[in-house]
Amino acid sequence: MQAIPHNRNTTSREMGMVILALLPGLVALSWIFGPGVWLHIAIMVPAALLAESAILLLRGRSPFTALKDLSALLTALLLAAALPPLLPWWMAVLGVLFAIILAKQLYGGLGQNPFNPAMVGYVILLISFPLEMTRWLPPTGLDGTTLSMGQSLQIILGNSDLLTLDALTSATPLDTMRTQISQGHTIQEGLLQLDSGLLAGAGWEWINLAFLAGGLLLLLRGTISWQIPLSMILALTLTALLFNIIDPAQFNTPLYHLLSGGIMLGAFFIATDPVTASTTPLGRIWFGAGIGVLVYIIRTWGGYPDAVAFSVLLMNMFAPLIDYFTQPSIYGAVKQKPSARSKQP
Amino acid sequence: MSRPLQTFHGGIHPEQQKGQTRAVPLQPYPHPGGELVIPLNQGIGSANRAVVAVGDTVRAGQRLSECFTPLSVPIHAPYDGTVTAIERRPLTHPSGISCLSVVIVPDDDTSPPAPTTDLPASTSSASLDALLATLSTETLIERIRMGGIIGLGGAGFPTATKIRKGEAQNIETLIINGMECEPYITCDDRLMQDHSDEIIRGIEVLNQLLKPTEILLGIEDNKPEAIAAMQRAATASSARIEVVSCPTCYPSGGEKQLIQILTGKEVPSGGFPHQLAILCQNVATVYAIYHAIEERPLTQRSVTISGDGVAQPGNFHVAIGTPIRPLLESCGLTDQPVSVTVGGPMMGFPLKNLESSITKTVNCLIVNKSATSPSQNSPLNCIRCAACSDACPVSLLPQQLYWATQARNFDEAQSLHLFDCIECGCCSYVCPSYLPLVDYYRHAKGTVRNQQREQVKADHARNRHEFRDARLQREKEEKAKKLAAKKAALKAKKANESRAQHESSAVEADKKATIQAAIDRAKARKAAL
């Protein structure tokens, strides 16, 4: 075998770049909602690395080479970024174990999994613990009254009674809005119930903008390609715009949809996971657009307040089909029957 | 220069590595003595048969073999000398296979410069014009064929065959390939600088043979000296030759890619350039064509010797058949262990045996102090990042092909256009998981070809079996028919016989009756007495 020259880019470097680009969003999360996200990371990262190593040892592989690719670390960080900041520690660990063991290693490790591991972990937690998974904090960071590190640690470790927890926490703006609309209120009435922010739900807009900044960095560096984020954001915007024009009282504005919930995290960091996304240039556009439309449908008519995780997993299922139908036209393509092609030397 | 250029999809920019040799002019490589090993089988045609015997003395330029198929061309003796053996010797080939070769020991002190190096370009122009004016097209093409010319860019396709195909198709665009896009290699660059007139003469030959409407000479813009030299030479020519500077991007020198850059046209999948009325020739081939027309056959070629494993890298006119070890030693081969790559680093292959020799398709030898350690870059899993499909000049989906070939699903691999892969190595170059993708595709192609051969064989065997069954059946029926006929004949015979018997018994009875009557008569006579 000829040792062909190489541009020296590595999988680890790509993953490292994504991890770096996550930082602005993580900082914004901890600024708005307190240090819970860092505590989760501190627990989940070792859990992820241990789980990955254990399974690799069971499979008779060297854990070191696989850990070096940083993919387990990235999965833990992505899941941590998606969890409510005061989720009990053992749920967070359970989520990351499901993500690494069930969604990734049982399929054969990095590159073999059909579903986004972080989103599988998230959805399992969301279905198993719906109450805890929708209990977010009010955006106290904005008025400078976040929980301290000690308080957060107390709650995450489970050393606080539920009463204080209920007093502390609240639903997300998306959740509140859903409830309001399902009770027959209009968007405008719903907004009155919220600490309404500048553009979307208070606090969430800043988090989304921070993830957007990290995402743009990835785009500039060429770590991810533009098709998935752009088509996802565009599809969500257009769908929201359509319904907003039809009935502004019932359906919220595109900007509200874009900057609330996990849209930017999803568009730039989750949906762009190359392993589980569509891999052709045109296919990525369909893949992203599918997620965008599904997010809107589930948010508006589905049973859950946010929908990025479900939408990504649903589109993961379609990725092979999309790839099949969106193969690029090759150099010198001629319309030939497959049987004629196979006669080629 | 103002020609609007197209781009091809993808492509890469590997480190050039040409600085080591680009400033070193082409010089004849003096043969150090010892034997020359000239394989009878070079390029893609079937093997030749030697027309010399062991012990024969040969003259420089003498033809050593005859060939029987249109795809093979003869070989020639580079020096005066003696044939010492005709036997199997290791061939410079990825497989390290051995090949029947003519071994020549040059005469002691001759080492005359190989026939094509010492020609004053000024005088040759006139004689070429005279030749082109007098010789018929057929003679010109035959001279190219009998001069042993094959594509010197690497593919080794017989040039005369290509020209004949082109002639039949009324070529409109003649493209001369001076791109030399592989890293390290500079021998075409030097050839264009040091022998620009002879290249132009060769183009004039093709111009006369093909009468194209345009002649484009493509050179990557990392070779400004070569571009300048060729432009200077082209203006003096009677043929209208357009020297085109193209952006440097690997694999722009691939035939299909160059056609796309210069004309915007794409060679149909599975087809040939002449279907687009285009014909491509490499500059080194064109240079050799000129010399073949003046009856100096291909006995040497330009070779780049480069890499950190040689002290004096450079470009040389090397006689075909020169063993590689002494060649490298004279360039200051440093200590072992070395790895030697034949051709460029992207599409070349590792040399199996230093004792093999320079063939017509060896354009570069890269000597490195050590093989790049594979442990450092052990392949990881594919994460479908699509860096490969972004880099693929054919717009294939290498990541999908990888899955198909790993699963040994060759039908799917073919529907993903496995056979359109040009094996340029761009996908391997960019793969962040360090997967040797091209190797997988080469292997898959080989397997599919084998399967197809097996299939043909199996079909053949089945046809024969079915024919045999049919034949046996027919024979059985014929036998049965014959048997029945025989039986019937026998029956008839029997019936005849019994009738005959019957008849004969009747005759017998008559006889008896006659005898009885006679006896009775006699008895009656006796009684009467």
Side-chain angles (χ1 to χ4, degrees):
Chain A
M1 267 196 294
Q2 166 74 358
I4 284 182
H6 200 275
N7 65 4
R8 296 180 211 292
N9 190 22
T10 61
T11 305
S12 317
R13 190 185 290 180
E14 299 274 295
M15 298 274 181
M17 197 62 220
V18 178
I19 290 170
L20 209 66
L22 259 180
L23 288 180
L26 293 176
V27 169
L29 262 177
S30 61
W31 170 49
I32 304 284
F33 294 117
V37 63
W38 296 115
L39 293 172
H40 279 150
I41 288 172
I43 305 166
M44 288 161 74
V45 166
L49 299 185
L50 279 174
E52 176 119 323
S53 307
I55 299 287
L56 284 167
L57 284 174
L58 281 177
R59 291 174 61 203
R61 308 280 171 97
S62 146
F64 180 68
T65 37
L67 290 183
K68 222 173 47 175
D69 67 34
L70 301 182
S71 64
L73 177 61
L74 180 58
T75 299
L77 292 180
L78 287 175
L79 181 55
L83 294 180
L86 293 182
L87 192 73
W89 68 273
W90 59 272
M91 290 187 193
V93 168
L94 200 64
V96 83
L97 290 184
F98 268 118
I100 296 289
I101 298 174
L102 191 79
K104 184 177 157 198
Q105 288 295 340
L106 287 194
Y107 283 102
L110 179 66
Q112 317 283 316
N113 48 303
F115 296 106
N116 187 306
M119 290 301 99
V120 170
Y122 180 86
V123 162
I124 285 175
L125 289 181
L126 183 61
I127 294 173
S128 312
F129 312 106
L131 181 65
E132 288 81 353
M133 283 295 286
T134 49
R135 193 150 55 189
W136 280 77
L137 285 171
T140 47
L142 293 180
D143 50 32
T145 57
T146 38
L147 293 176
S148 71
M149 186 66 94
Q151 288 168 307
S152 300
L153 191 62
Q154 287 278 316
I155 297 170
I156 288 173
L157 292 180
N159 295 336
S160 68
D161 57 276
L162 277 172
L163 271 175
T164 34
L165 197 57
D166 275 343
L168 273 173
T169 57
S170 72
T172 64
L174 273 175
D175 209 355
T176 311
M177 193 63 81
R178 257 186 63 79
T179 318
Q180 289 292 319
I181 290 172
S182 65
Q183 287 166 357
H185 298 285
T186 63
I187 295 284
Q188 285 68 29
E189 288 165 341
L191 284 174
L192 293 177
Q193 298 293 315
L194 294 172
D195 266 348
S196 178
L198 249 45
L199 305 167
W204 286 92
E205 62 219 4
W206 297 113
I207 292 168
N208 270 292
L209 288 173
F211 280 123
L212 173 65
L216 291 178
L217 176 73
L218 289 183
L219 268 182
L220 277 178
R221 299 274 313 193
T223 310
I224 58 173
S225 57
W226 56 268
Q227 286 99 336
I228 292 177
L230 188 73
S231 62
M232 174 174 160
I233 286 171
L234 219 60
L236 178 60
T237 309
L238 291 179
T239 320
L241 190 65
L242 178 73
F243 284 98
N244 186 243
I245 289 171
I246 292 173
D247 185 358
Q250 279 291 315
F251 303 104
N252 229 317
T253 61
L255 198 62
Y256 173 86
H257 275 287
L258 285 182
L259 294 180
S260 50
I263 290 301
M264 294 302 163
L265 176 68
F268 288 92
F269 295 89
I270 306 280
T272 51
D273 167 32
V275 174
T276 55
S278 185
T279 194
T280 64
L282 183 62
R284 285 170 171 170
I285 290 178
W286 286 109
F287 180 83
I291 294 175
V293 172
L294 279 174
V295 163
Y296 189 85
I297 291 173
I298 299 175
R299 269 186 182 178
T300 312
W301 297 287
Y304 289 90
D306 203 357
V308 172
F310 287 111
S311 309
V312 167
L313 292 180
L314 282 170
M315 288 312 289
N316 285 165
M317 287 186 219
F318 283 99
L321 190 72
I322 295 174
D323 285 342
Y324 180 81
F325 282 112
T326 56
Q327 292 177 26
S329 168
I330 64 156
Y331 177 104
V334 278
K335 291 219 177 339
Q336 261 179 319
K337 284 176 197 160
S339 58
R341 281 215 47 78
S342 60
K343 274 183 198 150
Q344 251 222 304
Chain B
M1 295 291 279
S2 58
R3 189 181 183 81
L5 297 179
Q6 313 290 317
T7 52
F8 57 89
H9 180 264
I12 55 171
H13 296 92
E15 279 178 53
Q16 301 271 322
Q17 310 278 12
K18 292 179 191 265
Q20 239 186 328
T21 54
R22 63 180 304 161
V24 189
L26 265 169
Q27 45 198 308
Y29 166 72
H31 184 62
E35 41 186 34
L36 290 165
V37 183
I38 308 158
L40 279 161
N41 188 9
Q42 303 185 27
I44 63 166
S46 61
N48 292 338
R49 189 163 69 192
V51 292
V52 289
V54 176
D56 287 2
T57 55
V58 292
R59 311 247 344 134
Q62 181 180 335
R63 189 160 58 85
L64 300 177
S65 69
E66 56 183 350
C67 39
F68 306 97
T69 64
L71 282 184
S72 47
V73 295
I75 55 171
H76 302 81
Y79 298 107
D80 295 349
T82 312
V83 178
T84 56
I86 297 173
E87 61 190 20
R88 295 190 82 84
R89 291 292 183 95
L91 184 64
T92 306
H93 187 270
S95 66
I97 199 169
S98 66
C99 170
L100 201 61
S101 309
V102 177
V103 182
I104 294 173
V105 174
D107 293 345
D108 281 344
D109 58 344
T110 53
S111 302
T116 58
T117 52
D118 61 337
L119 288 152
S122 52
T123 58
S124 56
S125 174
S127 65
L128 180 78
D129 287 344
L131 284 173
L132 289 182
T134 51
L135 294 180
S136 71
T137 305
E138 192 46 43
T139 315
L140 289 172
I141 295 179
E142 199 54 24
R143 280 198 180 185
I144 292 170
R145 174 168 137 85
M146 293 317 282
I149 313 288
I150 58 175
L152 299 182
F157 192 85
T159 305
T161 309
K162 206 171 179 180
I163 293 173
R164 282 217 174 88
K165 274 211 174 113
E167 223 196 338
Q169 295 280 334
N170 286 325
I171 291 304
E172 282 165 20
T173 308
L174 171 63
I175 292 178
I176 308 299
N177 189 343
M179 303 295 276
E180 198 163 56
C181 59
E182 277 251 24
Y184 285 97
I185 313 178
T186 58
C187 60
D188 283 355
D189 184 4
R190 286 317 310 189
L191 196 71
M192 288 188 281
Q193 291 182 52
D194 304 336
H195 296 272
S196 47
D197 285 329
E198 288 146 278
I199 292 172
I200 295 294
R201 294 292 95 81
I203 296 175
E204 284 166 2
V205 174
L206 289 175
N207 187 32
Q208 161 104 1
L209 288 172
L210 299 165
K211 306 214 166 39
T213 49
E214 56 177 351
I215 304 174
L216 307 173
L217 168 55
I219 307 175
E220 273 195 346
D221 59 10
N222 61 359
K223 294 180 263 297
E225 301 89 355
I227 293 172
M230 290 314 300
Q231 268 170 341
R232 215 176 308 122
T235 46
S237 168
S238 57
R240 276 193 27 247
I241 302 165
E242 191 181 338
V243 180
V244 188
S245 164
C246 305
T248 299
C249 178
Y250 179 85
S252 63
E255 187 174 70
K256 292 177 170 180
Q257 280 62 47
L258 182 57
I259 288 172
Q260 193 172 13
I261 291 171
L262 293 178
T263 69
K265 294 178 189 163
E266 295 180 14
V267 181
S269 168
F272 296 95
H274 60 70
Q275 292 168 308
L276 303 172
I278 295 172
L279 188 134
C280 275
Q281 289 292 355
N282 172 269
V283 283
T285 315
V286 175
Y287 169 81
I289 286 174
Y290 157 65
H291 288 288
I293 295 300
E294 298 207 337
E295 293 193 290
R296 289 181 294 275
L298 181 63
T299 57
Q300 60 165 28
R301 64 153 302 140
S302 48
V303 180
T304 299
I305 294 169
S306 190
D308 60 10
V310 283
Q312 295 103 36
N315 291 294
F316 303 94
H317 290 291
V318 183
I320 308 294
T322 305
I324 287 173
R325 184 189 294 279
L327 178 60
L328 295 182
E329 278 167 356
S330 73
C331 292
L333 184 65
T334 50
D335 298 336
Q336 310 272 10
V338 290
S339 73
V340 180
T341 302
V342 180
M346 298 301 297
M347 292 187 73
F349 58 90
L351 183 67
K352 285 258 165 67
N353 195 337
L354 271 179
E355 308 312 321
S356 64
S357 57
I358 297 290
T359 64
K360 290 175 183 178
T361 51
V362 176
N363 55 358
C364 183
L365 295 171
I366 304 168
V367 188
N368 282 316
K369 274 181 186 154
S370 58
T372 39
S373 67
S375 59
Q376 216 176 346
N377 315 318
S378 55
L380 300 170
N381 287 339
C382 170
I383 55 166
R384 306 194 342 134
C385 66
C388 47
S389 59
D390 288 343
C392 179
V394 192
S395 302
L396 299 176
L397 293 171
Q399 68 274 45
Q400 305 288 76
L401 267 171
Y402 166 73
W403 278 98
T405 53
Q406 288 298 94
R408 303 188 63 75
N409 186 348
F410 296 121
D411 286 341
E412 191 182 334
Q414 276 173 280
S415 74
L416 288 164
H417 312 289
L418 173 67
F419 281 97
D420 285 284
C421 169
I422 58 167
E423 302 177 19
C424 63
C426 288
C427 48
S428 302
Y429 176 81
V430 298
C431 179
S433 295
Y434 283 82
L435 293 165
L437 295 166
V438 171
D439 293 312
Y440 295 140
Y441 308 146
R442 279 199 194 118
H443 178 256
K445 282 181 183 177
T447 313
V448 171
R449 286 200 190 104
N450 276 345
Q451 278 177 356
Q452 283 170 349
R453 260 198 294 273
E454 291 298 312
Q455 187 60 47
V456 169
K457 260 192 199 162
D459 287 349
H460 193 60
R462 197 183 51 243
N463 286 342
R464 286 174 59 161
H465 179 73
E466 280 168 3
F467 181 77
R468 180 172 177 272
D469 277 356
R471 178 173 57 82
L472 289 180
Q473 182 65 30
R474 197 188 64 224
E475 281 176 1
K476 210 170 156 187
E477 279 165 12
E478 279 172 2
K479 225 175 183 175
K481 239 184 231 165
K482 245 186 203 163
L483 209 69
K486 233 180 185 170
K487 257 186 188 161
L490 209 70
K491 218 175 172 182
K493 205 174 155 194
K494 254 187 189 160
N496 271 345
E497 269 172 11
S498 65
R499 200 171 56 228
Q501 217 166 18
H502 193 69
E503 278 168 12
S504 70
S505 66
V507 171
E508 203 85 341
D510 279 355
K511 261 187 191 162
K512 271 187 183 157
T514 317
I515 291 167
Q516 193 58 48
I519 291 171
D520 288 345
R521 267 199 314 273
K523 272 185 182 167
R525 226 183 292 144
K526 239 182 206 175
L529 283 174

